[in-house]
Amino acid sequence: MKTRILLASALLSFCFYSCSQTEKVSFNETQLLNDLKELSSDAYEGRGFSKPGNYKAQEFIAKRFKELGLEPYEGSGYIQKFEHTFSGRWRQRMFPVKNAEKDLSNVPDTTVVGGNVVGMIKGKTDKSIVITGHLDHLGIRNGKIYNGADDDASGTAALFAIAEYFKNNAPKHNLILVAVDAEEIGSHGAEYFAANYKNAKENIVLNVNMDMIAHNDSLRLYASGLYHYPQLKTQLVDIKSPITLLFGHDDPNNKELDDWTYASDHRIFHKRKIPFIYFGVEDHKDYHKDTDTFENINQEFYVDAVKLIIQAIENYDQSL
């Protein structure tokens, strides 16, 4: 009888550990998918930087942040506007004008306005974890809408689920959630955010960046950055999930895997020596194509990926 009791106790303990890892993360999964579907719909015209669909996306994200009870960043509203100037050559290459002069030296520079959408959940310390996903995509090209469901409506919509979870599970650190603009043209939104964050290196303990987390047929998600910040591995190794979490794509000496160290907005934090973890999938057949639509993501994989990322953020919040 004692053996049976001990065995039952051990099984109960194991189930509590493994099951609690997968079941303790709770948020409205239907809402997550609806948010992704909305942001990647034709109504936003591919969210091209400085285009009407992009501005519409900013307003939608700000509305969702308000509904979720996030505090505006520094009391100045949710949308952090910034200016960006395109050179004439760059503008003509990115947004071709028919019958333009072959000599692009006469094409005037153009200044446009972008906007990060930033919300905050206050913690118990002055230190912050910044969580990013970029809201912009490629817009309309040759008459086709590039919806960017995976790239990166998936990371942006995940911000809402993360916000929902941590509004119900108060964090130790301040959580700064940033839907970043202008990633596709050089991470100018992330640069503006970091450059204007007071004492960023001292006050930001970690950047968690999500860029393409909804589309992988092999059910594999990468956490990149451990080559540079090996101290961040412990918080990831014991996460239980139906999907496979892999490490890599961050070692410049590994010729078998692309190095993602500078592939997305996390590079802006890395260059300031702020540790980062970048969650993403490897490129797929719909990457940067008009077929990157809601219908082509892996819905169950996406929900599980967001749960995994929330577990990781919670582990970092409790241990850093």
Side-chain angles (χ1 to χ4, degrees):
M1 178 65 72
K2 186 175 181 181
T3 302
R4 290 181 180 178
I5 292 174
L6 289 174
L7 179 59
S9 177
L11 288 171
L12 182 63
S13 297
F14 174 78
C15 183
F16 177 78
Y17 174 77
S18 60
C19 295
S20 64
Q21 283 282 320
T22 56
E23 294 177 2
K24 71 174 183 177
V25 175
S26 176
F27 54 80
N28 189 327
E29 298 175 16
T30 300
Q31 184 65 55
L32 171 68
L33 293 171
N34 286 342
D35 286 332
L36 175 56
K37 187 174 184 179
E38 173 69 19
L39 277 170
S40 59
S41 69
D42 287 354
Y44 296 89
E45 299 180 331
R47 309 183 307 281
F49 176 63
S50 76
K51 298 300 180 181
N54 180 291
Y55 296 140
K56 184 176 181 179
Q58 292 177 29
E59 294 295 339
F60 172 76
I61 296 162
K63 176 176 175 287
R64 290 290 289 121
F65 278 3
K66 184 176 182 180
E67 290 172 349
L68 288 160
L70 299 189
E71 296 186 28
Y73 179 62
E74 294 187 340
S76 58
Y78 294 105
I79 299 177
Q80 181 188 52
K81 295 183 178 180
F82 61 92
E83 291 187 346
H84 177 70
T85 300
F86 288 106
S87 69
R89 291 176 179 275
W90 176 264
R91 179 176 177 275
Q92 176 60 13
R93 184 161 67 87
M94 291 297 294
F95 309 110
V97 177
K98 290 183 179 180
N99 303 318
E101 300 178 52
K102 291 185 178 179
D103 181 7
L104 297 180
S105 62
N106 294 322
V107 179
D109 294 349
T110 304
T111 298
V112 298
V113 177
N116 303 318
V117 189
V118 191
M120 178 172 64
I121 300 174
K122 285 190 175 178
K124 302 172 185 178
T125 75
D126 294 330
K127 305 298 184 181
S128 298
I129 295 174
V130 175
I131 306 164
T132 50
H134 71 87
L135 69 91
D136 63 306
H137 193 54
L138 303 180
I140 300 175
R141 297 188 174 187
N142 298 318
K144 294 181 178 180
I145 298 176
Y146 285 67
N147 296 104
D150 192 29
D151 185 15
D152 183 34
S154 65
T156 301
L159 293 173
F160 306 143
I162 293 168
E164 179 187 340
Y165 178 81
F166 284 103
K167 284 295 291 183
N168 295 320
N169 298 272
K172 182 176 74 174
H173 294 79
N174 299 318
L175 299 186
I176 314 295
L177 289 83
V178 192
V180 188
D181 201 4
E183 188 274 345
E184 296 286 0
I185 63 165
S187 292
H188 299 296
E191 177 62 39
Y192 185 85
F193 172 83
N196 287 276
Y197 195 99
K198 187 176 180 180
N199 299 324
K201 187 177 184 303
E202 291 75 24
N203 292 329
I204 299 174
V205 299
L206 178 67
N207 168 233
V208 175
N209 186 37
M210 302 172 292
D211 193 348
M212 298 173 56
I213 59 171
H215 188 162
N216 185 267
D217 295 332
S218 300
L219 307 184
R220 303 197 308 176
L221 181 74
Y222 273 89
S224 180
L226 297 177
Y227 174 84
H228 304 283
Y229 305 102
Q231 73 274 18
L232 299 177
K233 186 175 183 178
T234 303
Q235 296 89 337
L236 299 175
V237 293
D238 288 329
I239 293 177
K240 306 299 179 183
S241 173
I243 65 178
T244 302
L245 180 64
L246 300 173
F247 308 133
H249 283 293
D250 49 18
D251 182 353
N253 301 310
N254 185 340
K255 305 305 180 184
E256 296 182 3
L257 295 177
D258 295 334
D259 185 0
W260 294 347
T261 301
Y262 299 95
S264 184
D265 290 312
H266 52 274
R267 67 174 177 264
I268 300 300
F269 298 88
H270 178 56
K271 77 177 186 179
R272 288 174 166 80
K273 301 188 185 307
I274 296 169
F276 76 86
I277 289 292
Y278 164 41
F279 290 99
V281 299
E282 293 182 315
D283 291 354
H284 45 73
K285 62 181 178 61
D286 301 312
Y287 171 67
H288 275 199
K289 294 181 180 178
D290 64 301
T291 52
D292 184 8
T293 62
F294 179 79
E295 291 72 24
N296 285 331
I297 69 157
N298 309 98
Q299 294 186 24
E300 188 174 351
F301 171 81
Y302 178 48
V303 171
D304 287 332
V306 173
K307 287 184 177 181
L308 186 156
I309 292 167
I310 288 175
Q311 290 175 40
I313 293 169
E314 189 164 53
N315 290 348
Y316 286 126
D317 176 58
Q318 293 172 358
S319 62
L320 295 179

